[in-house]
Amino acid sequence: MTRNCLPQQLVAALAARPTTVALTGAGISAESGVRTFRDAQTGLWTRYRPEQLASPDAFERDPRLVWRWYQWRRRTIAAAEPNAGHRALVELEKALDSFTLITQNVDGLHRRAGSRNVIHLHGDLCSNRCQRCAAPSAHEDNETVRPPRCTRCGGLMRPAVVWFGEPLPASALSAAAERIAGAELVLVIGTSAQVYPAAALAEQAVAQGSMVAEINPARTPLSAKVRWRLDLAAAEALPRLAAVPRRPSAR
Ligand code: BV8
Ligand code: ZN
């Protein structure tokens, strides 16, 4: 595939308005200036790997350090805007008869771009929950340097995201697996396909024989198994996919 065109069979598949699922990872937010998990962290955070901070043990050991890392990420995200890749997925959701977006991301950029039918596998940074009693609370202040206390039990509040070693929300995971099971076309976008069980969803799509297209400038463990590889940035590839002319809707 040359960089200027899409695989003809992918164009033909999209033109037929297939039941479509998009599975996104941190790479789709790269062009919004939000660092991916695999990118080297900057400044104070260079000495930590994300997996060392995004865990209940890390929070147990040093709640203020983990809290400050999330506050730094929240400020980065607050300064970011959805990019052309996020916006193209909104167009596909409006244009196709059946489109579901499943994301590993916690940055809220899909919702800010206007995506409606989104399954968040790993939670979202815009809210907190109590580490002791799980009471939820909105997140208001990106500047505090220590986690707030739970108004119900006095426990420490933490970001309402899924940490390594924590189970994904059962409802989100089962809804995602169900949508993948019925998908004719699966777009796997901006993920290193290394974090489970999210990565298992892409593997399920391949194993069940769905048409799978991977959009990622770098190869991943999934690359050899997919039908199409678009070695392009999401913000470059997705607008082209959204622009593919489609036959009239049966709706
Ligand atoms: C679970 C929220 C079981 C937090 C995240 C030991 C104990 C328990 C579990 C495990 C264990 N060892 C391993 C595991 C499994 C573990 C796991 O998979 N580990 C990995 C590291 C091997 N999984 C878990 O722990 C999960 N839980 O298994 O629980 C359980 C069951 C019952 C009871 C108890 C326990 C929980 C996993 C969820 C972790 N939370 N996020 C936060 O954000 O702070 S995951 C985190 O990584 C982000 O959500 C991120 O999205 C995700 C995956 O990374 P990617 O999205 O793929 O991003 P990455 O940086 O890796 O890659 C970016 C890609 O984009 C690259 O390929 C790059 O080439 C590409 N790219 C760059 N630019 C662009 C681009 N693509 C397109 N366009 C561009 N412009
Ligand atoms: Zn509490």
Side-chain angles (χ1 to χ4, degrees):
M1 181 201 84
T2 66
R3 290 184 69 83
N4 299 326
C5 68
L6 298 172
Q8 278 314 308
Q9 286 182 337
L10 173 55
V11 170
L14 252 180
R17 318 176 70 82
T19 299
T20 302
V21 170
L23 172 64
T24 65
I28 194 168
S29 297
E31 272 114 332
S32 296
V34 179
R35 289 183 167 282
T36 68
F37 245 59
R38 302 284 171 268
D39 275 358
Q41 304 229 79
T42 59
L44 168 68
W45 307 108
T46 38
R47 73 185 94 148
Y48 301 98
R49 281 185 311 108
E51 287 85 1
Q52 286 174 296
L53 294 169
S55 81
D57 298 347
F59 188 69
E60 187 75 29
R61 245 190 334 271
D62 192 341
R64 288 179 60 172
L65 175 73
V66 173
W67 181 260
R68 284 185 12 245
W69 179 54
Y70 279 97
Q71 293 290 72
W72 169 70
R73 289 176 59 193
R74 283 164 164 154
R75 290 193 294 273
T76 306
I77 289 162
E81 289 298 328
N83 62 57
H86 295 105
R87 290 193 296 272
L89 290 181
V90 177
E91 279 179 56
L92 280 172
E93 179 178 358
K94 288 177 182 158
L96 292 174
D97 304 327
S98 172
F99 178 89
T100 303
L101 174 52
I102 302 169
T103 189
Q104 300 173 80
N105 298 342
V106 297
D107 58 29
L109 288 176
H110 284 305
R111 195 184 293 125
R112 282 174 53 193
S115 289
R116 288 285 163 269
N117 186 5
V118 187
I119 298 174
H120 287 89
L121 295 176
H122 296 157
D124 95 74
L125 264 183
C126 302
S127 48
N128 295 313
R129 70 164 183 268
C130 174
Q131 180 62 354
R132 186 187 295 164
C133 74
S137 79
H139 176 71
E140 267 110 28
D141 182 348
N142 287 346
E143 300 301 333
T144 53
V145 293
R146 61 170 59 87
R149 287 277 171 188
C150 171
T151 51
R152 195 162 75 180
C153 78
L156 287 177
M157 299 305 284
R158 37 101 19 123
V161 297
V162 179
W163 278 335
F164 287 97
E166 292 183 326
L168 276 60
S171 55
L173 192 54
S174 56
E178 194 185 309
R179 305 302 296 183
I180 288 274
E184 294 168 293
L185 173 63
V186 177
L187 305 173
V188 181
I189 308 158
T191 178
S192 60
Q194 292 175 40
V195 172
Y196 286 82
L201 293 167
E203 291 167 354
Q204 173 194 340
V206 169
Q208 72 191 20
S210 301
M211 298 178 285
V212 182
E214 179 182 57
I215 297 166
N216 191 329
R219 293 186 66 80
T220 72
L222 203 66
S223 299
K225 306 172 194 166
V226 297
R227 175 94 57 101
W228 301 291
R229 243 199 67 69
L230 280 64
D231 57 351
L232 294 170
E236 206 179 329
L238 289 174
R240 293 188 199 174
L241 291 178
V244 166
R246 280 169 293 276
R247 72 170 191 221
S249 165
R251 279 192 284 197

